Amino acid sequence: MTLGSQDLQVLHLNRSHGKTFPTYDPRTGDVIAHVAEGDAEDINRAVSAARKAFDEGPWPKMTAYERSRILFRFADLIDQHTEELATLETWDNGKPYEQAAKIELPMISRLIRYYAGWADKIHGLTVPADSPHLVQTIHEPIGVAGQIIPWNFPLLMFGWKVGPALACGNTVVIKTAEQTPLSALYAAKLLHEAGLPPGVLNVVSGFGPTAGAALATHMQVDKLAFTGSTETGKIVLELAAKSNLKPVTLELGGKSPFIVCKDADVDKAVELAHFALFFNQGQCCCAGSRTYVHESVYDEFLEKAKARALKRSVGDPFVAGIEQGPQIDSEQFEKIMRYIRSGVESGATLETGGERIGDKGFYIQPTVFSNVKEDMLIAKDEIFGPVQSILKFKDINEVIRRANTTSYGLAAGVFTQDIDTANTLTRALKVGTVWINCYDVFDAAIPFGGYKMSGQGREKGIHCLSNYLQVKAVVTPLKDPAWI
Ligand SMILES: NC(=O)c1ccc[n+]([C@@H]2O[C@H](COP(=O)([O-])OP(=O)(O)OC[C@H]3O[C@@H](n4cnc5c(N)ncnc54)[C@H](O)[C@@H]3O)[C@@H](O)[C@H]2O)c1
């Protein structure tokens, strides 16, 4: 299908200063559209609209069942418009269309239904008291939720953020990433078609230091949810603390270990380690970016991992069967190429890849390094690209220590057929998710988040609801109670 200029008209609405910014096609570097650039004044307007919708509008006052029905309708509309949404996502981000349409869009509608299901099941407790008092807890929406999202999964991050916030009865101002403003605008249109009242959801396209910082600093924003780099996470946390102390949840970067034990099925481990790193052009916060392999299977693993990388199909993400599209933009492309050069200079062995593909767009060869050591930059930093680093280990205690030697703690993969080894590693690894003999399983009900500098709080699942709720204790004296 094709989207015409009439579909993009919405991009020109609601900007205060008439400024626009271009969004680019990562396949070519060509401009797709000029998008209204929201700045601090637009954030003010959006927050006012969200504030009014929360304080005076029908959204927090309607029954939770009515809210859930709007979210269920939204999920149905996502399914009906998968083609348009996936097209925008691939066009703006460069990810394979099949991945967007067949994996990500169904995950988003599933997640919206999951939280729609929660909307009318959020309730408080009757609490035992030490004195003749009736003590109850009431769960109330927090108010206006400010949300800031990255470019690697623009729609999925939109869903993870707005789904739970709306299900709990909040209103939202969400700032999308400047690299990928398109798909969230289309999704917002569908949410309004589903019956969302005006002012409840406000999407602002714009840049971090202007629109993003204005949202983090805003005195009328009651909660901030941020997904992005650890560096920016520190900035927004500080802005929130310096303004109105709004609570902040952070989903940040990672350098996740993927551990292949001596008893692993090597063929399966190779395939999963490949997927864990190369999925989404390597642009995943939880990418398995340190592949630890036991010395007894190391040579076999390495040979097969290299062969798998050489087989990876790279090209136009709209073409069926393509596994890897271009990186998001020239900045990320240059950063990844710098890391590849640093890997070579620091003495790691470049097994395959390492070069640009073509002279247009931001394509990089699937790259595999062996003989990687922990003190090399490629083993320490989040590269966020198609670069696999393979490290050798001898025993379990050693790999636990090495895997935990990082300031990140988002996820880990463990590949073993021994239940005791799996249990030992599961408890020892300081990470928010351990995938055993699998990777990147993202059900809506599974909580996701980081230890250490990978973040604060959890998204998805039941745990995310508390990010968007206040708990109020209500205490009433009881006169002549039969019991306390
Ligand atoms: N843990 C997770 O769930 C998760 C998921 C996806 C991505 N990520 C992380 O996101 C990063 C990649 O995304 P990115 O490059 O877009 O990250 P980024 O930190 O550069 O940008 C993320 C968002 O923050 C905004 N921003 C930038 N500077 C800001 C400022 N001063 N004030 C307020 N907002 C600001 C950006 O405009 C964007 O919307 C990686 O580190 C990745 O690991 C984490």
Side-chain angles (χ1 to χ4, degrees):
M1 66 144 291
T2 51
L3 286 159
S5 57
Q6 74 283 1
D7 297 298
L8 300 177
Q9 275 170 12
V10 65
L11 310 183
H12 296 280
L13 303 175
N14 295 333
R15 63 191 189 268
S16 66
H17 293 109
K19 274 192 295 185
T20 62
F21 66 99
T23 187
Y24 299 99
D25 180 342
R27 294 175 300 169
T28 56
D30 294 343
V31 173
I32 301 172
H34 293 273
V35 182
E37 182 184 332
D39 58 13
E41 183 47 35
D42 294 292
I43 290 289
N44 275 338
R45 290 186 185 184
V47 173
S48 298
R51 185 81 265 162
K52 193 161 186 284
F54 187 78
D55 294 339
E56 299 164 28
W59 185 245
K61 296 190 187 75
M62 69 174 65
T63 66
Y65 178 54
E66 284 174 289
R67 276 203 302 272
S68 82
R69 294 190 61 185
I70 291 172
L71 290 175
F72 277 120
R73 277 201 293 275
F74 175 47
D76 291 343
L77 286 170
I78 292 174
D79 289 345
Q80 285 159 28
H81 292 269
T82 289
E83 214 182 324
E84 294 95 318
L85 288 164
T87 301
L88 283 174
E89 198 75 332
T90 294
W91 199 3
D92 217 10
N93 171 281
K95 65 180 66 213
Y97 175 83
E98 286 180 340
Q99 174 190 319
K102 293 184 186 159
I103 301 176
E104 295 181 25
L105 266 300
M107 277 170 83
I108 298 162
S109 56
R110 174 68 184 95
L111 179 126
I112 297 296
R113 288 191 185 98
Y114 173 83
Y115 282 110
W118 265 116
D120 59 356
K121 293 163 198 73
I122 295 166
H123 45 71
L125 298 169
T126 306
V127 180
D130 288 344
S131 50
H133 288 97
L134 169 62
V135 183
Q136 295 164 299
T137 56
I138 298 177
H139 292 236
E140 295 183 342
I142 276 196
V144 176
Q147 305 181 322
I148 300 176
I149 55 173
W151 48 262
N152 58 342
F153 292 94
L155 263 182
L156 197 61
M157 292 300 106
F158 175 85
W160 284 24
K161 291 281 181 287
V162 305
L166 296 179
C168 292
N170 299 278
T171 59
V172 169
V173 177
I174 185 165
K175 192 204 83 65
T176 50
E178 54 272 31
Q179 297 87 344
T180 51
L182 300 182
S183 52
L185 293 169
Y186 201 95
K189 178 173 103 81
L190 296 181
L191 243 172
H192 288 103
E193 246 174 80
L196 195 75
V200 174
L201 172 70
N202 305 271
V203 181
V204 179
S205 319
F207 291 83
T210 49
L215 191 57
T217 323
H218 208 289
M219 295 299 283
Q220 293 294 317
V221 170
D222 301 307
K223 190 259 167 331
L224 187 72
F226 172 82
T227 298
S229 61
T230 296
E231 204 185 355
T232 313
K234 287 183 182 178
I235 296 174
V236 298
L237 191 59
E238 197 180 344
L239 293 175
K242 280 187 174 159
S243 51
N244 59 345
L245 274 179
K246 54 182 82 61
V248 182
T249 38
L250 300 170
E251 296 285 353
L252 309 175
K255 191 73 186 173
S256 299
F258 184 106
I259 301 171
V260 183
C261 300
K262 61 182 173 199
D263 61 350
D265 175 330
V266 173
D267 290 326
K268 280 193 191 150
V270 165
E271 189 54 39
L272 262 163
H274 178 86
F275 168 66
L277 186 281
F278 290 98
F279 179 66
N280 205 45
Q281 292 69 246
Q283 302 166 147
C284 293
C285 49
C286 54
S289 49
R290 289 181 293 153
T291 312
Y292 286 99
V293 184
H294 191 266
E295 59 180 3
S296 62
V297 289
Y298 183 85
D299 291 342
E300 182 190 355
F301 183 96
L302 183 56
E303 191 190 317
K304 290 180 170 168
K306 179 177 164 181
R308 179 62 185 92
L310 278 164
K311 247 180 46 195
R312 188 168 185 79
S313 55
V314 186
D316 186 329
F318 279 103
V319 173
I322 285 294
E323 294 175 291
Q324 182 177 316
Q327 307 308 126
I328 184 74
D329 61 13
S330 60
E331 197 180 314
Q332 289 296 318
F333 174 88
E334 295 300 344
K335 181 178 135 193
I336 296 161
M337 296 309 282
R338 277 199 301 279
Y339 275 116
I340 292 174
R341 284 195 293 277
S342 122
V344 172
E345 284 157 15
S346 59
T349 310
L350 180 62
E351 296 285 347
T352 182
E355 300 286 336
R356 170 179 208 152
I357 299 178
D359 53 6
K360 216 170 52 163
F362 311 116
Y363 295 92
I364 296 180
Q365 288 176 340
T367 300
V368 177
F369 278 108
S370 64
N371 291 317
V372 178
K373 304 281 180 293
E374 263 86 10
D375 60 355
M376 297 176 181
L377 277 186
I378 56 168
K380 288 203 280 200
D381 293 0
E382 189 180 41
I383 301 175
F384 232 53
V387 182
Q388 185 174 29
S389 296
I390 303 182
L391 305 90
K392 193 191 283 188
F393 74 93
K394 276 188 199 327
D395 71 64
I396 289 293
N397 287 332
E398 172 209 334
V399 81
I400 289 170
R401 183 179 44 74
R402 291 169 63 189
N404 282 335
T405 307
T406 166
S407 54
Y408 293 117
L410 195 54
V414 169
F415 227 83
T416 178
Q417 309 206 42
D418 184 323
I419 185 86
D420 295 328
T421 307
N423 284 336
T424 300
L425 284 165
T426 300
R427 280 163 174 70
L429 294 168
K430 305 283 181 227
V431 296
T433 301
V434 181
W435 285 295
I436 297 172
N437 297 330
C438 61
Y439 210 84
D440 280 351
V441 178
F442 277 110
D443 291 14
I446 303 175
F448 186 74
Y451 282 31
K452 301 194 267 182
M453 284 168 73
S454 286
Q456 297 182 2
R458 294 291 177 271
E459 292 199 319
K460 299 200 286 113
I462 189 172
H463 300 275
C464 189
L465 297 171
S466 58
N467 299 340
Y468 292 101
L469 293 168
Q470 286 280 19
V471 180
K472 181 178 279 176
V474 184
V475 184
T476 319
L478 286 169
K479 205 170 169 205
D480 300 329
W483 50 269
I484 301 175

